[in-house]
Amino acid sequence: QGLSNITLPSGVGSPIRTSEFMMTMNLDAEVANGTPFTAPLVVYDSVGQAHNATVSLQKEISGGATPVTRWPFDITIPRSEVAGVPATNTERLSLITGAVATATPTAGTLLFDDQGRLSSAYLGADPARPPALGNLTVTGSGVTYPALANGAVLSPAITWNLLDDMGNANVTAFASPNEVTASTQNGSSAGSLSNVAIEADGTISAVFSNGQSMNVARLALAQFANVDGLTPQGAGFFAETNASG
């Protein structure tokens, strides 16, 4: 097959808005009722700017003969990053309610069983019957995020992946210190071309500094039973023969 030049993409790799995240986290079962815990989370907007979000949780355990453990939560960004809000504003914007966040997180709830396993997760007030556990889209019903001060917007829906690929919960409430052991999200800033990779099947990928990659071409590959039987043609070219197979 004839060869031709390959044109690599110029400029920058497009940014990706954060639309999902995952945290492997334990919430300490031994801390006192009302104990707060916060975890940082970076979310990217439509122009690739990073925003330092915070996942805020607070332990809430009911009394009685069969105590129930809940960790109400909220996910917020500084409200000063919203268009029209003064940079001196110290409030937090809830990404769940779309309103100013309350001092005590009440926008959603993580519910655990008596063995410290996550059994349900939901937004808003406690339902009469907790829903089955599943990944949670943290944007509340009917909530629209406001435009940001830089003219960009966040993803209209951000999913908290509470389950791993095997269906196991990523969050526990064992008698172990509050800790986030792993955190990932799918957003990224813009990036410049940093490398070119050639895969085993001949696919040529442009790799950008923001971690994205783009397939730009593919080399036609062939295998020969006896490569030593190929006939040199000069300039790095070889031709098949009966000996090469």
Side-chain angles (χ1 to χ4, degrees):
Q1 181 174 337
L3 294 177
S4 61
N5 293 331
I6 296 172
T7 301
L8 294 175
S10 59
V12 297
S14 299
I16 297 177
R17 291 187 294 182
T18 299
S19 62
E20 63 179 3
F21 71 94
M22 179 279 293
M23 285 183 169
T24 301
M25 174 169 58
N26 183 69
L27 300 170
D28 194 347
E30 294 191 311
V31 298
N33 194 17
T35 299
F37 177 62
T38 60
L41 173 70
V42 175
V43 295
Y44 290 90
D45 62 26
S46 56
V47 299
Q49 180 173 334
H51 300 267
N52 294 319
T54 300
V55 180
S56 302
L57 307 105
Q58 184 166 311
K59 185 177 181 180
E60 178 184 293
I61 185 166
S62 66
T66 55
V68 176
T69 301
R70 297 179 177 84
W71 281 79
F73 70 88
D74 203 349
I75 303 173
T76 63
I77 61 171
R79 189 163 175 263
S80 58
E81 297 178 358
V82 173
V85 177
T88 55
N89 187 287
T90 59
E91 297 171 324
R92 307 286 299 183
L93 175 74
S94 170
L95 298 184
I96 298 175
T97 66
V100 175
T102 57
T104 300
T106 58
T109 300
L110 301 181
L111 182 64
F112 296 87
D113 65 17
D114 57 5
Q115 297 184 51
R117 298 174 301 193
L118 185 62
S119 59
S120 183
Y122 48 87
L123 304 180
D126 291 341
R129 184 174 183 177
L133 179 62
N135 295 330
L136 197 63
T137 300
V138 300
T139 312
S141 176
V143 172
T144 301
Y145 294 147
L148 301 174
N150 63 355
V153 292
L154 296 174
S155 174
I158 301 176
T159 298
W160 185 353
N161 290 322
L162 294 167
L163 302 176
D164 63 19
D165 293 339
M166 301 297 292
N168 300 311
N170 293 314
V171 184
T172 56
F174 299 146
S176 182
N178 289 325
E179 184 180 23
V180 176
T181 56
S183 178
T184 61
Q185 50 75 35
N186 67 338
S188 69
S189 61
S192 57
L193 182 66
S194 62
N195 197 10
V196 175
I198 302 178
E199 307 297 334
D201 64 355
T203 299
I204 301 176
S205 300
V207 182
F208 297 91
S209 59
N210 61 1
Q212 294 186 58
S213 63
M214 178 189 302
N215 295 338
V216 295
R218 187 171 183 179
L219 299 174
L221 303 180
Q223 291 184 324
F224 297 91
N226 177 25
V227 294
D228 293 331
L230 294 169
T231 299
Q233 302 293 301
F237 287 89
F238 292 81
E240 65 178 326
T241 67
N242 290 333
S244 69

